[in-house]
Amino acid sequence: MSKKMRLIASLAAALAGAAALAGPAAAQSAVKVGTLSCNVASGWGFIFGSSKAINCTYAGVGGSYEHYVGNITKFGADIGYTSGGILVWTVVAPVAVMHPGALAGNYAGATASATVAVGVGANALVGGSGNTIALQPLSIEGNTGLNVAAGVAQLSLTAGP
């Protein structure tokens, strides 16, 4: 099998895993409560993973905005360099209105991305307040550089200024 076919197969498997992780959270009686948009710092992937700082804005359905800071860490294959990027998630929770700071916490799930000049990726994460918040169904990721990554992602958020 060629390297390109192995890469495509690996990314497809990671996306399937991400969809499987997103399924149980979506099956609960959950409500879309807003969107989380994050600016991701540039950096290198070091074969077995990477960690990058993030700065996020949560836009609630009712027009409220909150700021969060943290980092996203990827474990698994992560090789190459990306300049700063953007991640956007739909936020799904068991309640229609969340209290301020409710997104603070730790999230985990599957990740896959590929960048050749311009990149795309998918990250399905569950966590937050009592592991009841899902960042899904999949994030939209945009970055530039030369990188390939697949594995497990961990996101840590704290309420920002």
Side-chain angles (χ1 to χ4, degrees), residues 116-153:
V116 178
V118 177
V120 296
N123 302 278
L125 306 177
V126 176
S129 179
N131 288 330
T132 59
I133 298 172
L135 303 179
Q136 63 171 327
L138 298 174
S139 71
I140 300 168
E141 180 176 333
N143 53 37
T144 59
L146 180 61
N147 182 267
V148 63
V152 175

Side-chain angles (χ1 to χ4, degrees), residues 33-131:
V33 294
T35 304
L36 182 67
S37 302
C38 300
N39 292 317
V40 182
S42 60
W44 288 93
F46 294 104
I47 300 175
F48 297 113
S50 65
S51 184
K52 297 177 183 175
I54 59 170
N55 187 353
C56 304
T57 300
Y58 167 70
V61 178
S64 63
Y65 290 90
E66 297 177 19
H67 297 281
Y68 292 88
V69 295
N71 61 41
I72 187 163
T73 303
K74 296 179 181 180
F75 300 99
D78 191 352
I79 303 166
Y81 177 82
T82 55
S83 65
I86 297 173
L87 294 171
V88 180
W89 281 283
T90 297
V91 179
V92 178
V95 294
V97 179
M98 296 194 326
H99 62 82
L103 291 182
N106 296 308
Y107 298 80
T111 183
S113 63
T115 304
V116 178
V118 177
V120 296
N123 302 278
L125 306 177
V126 176
S129 179
N131 288 330

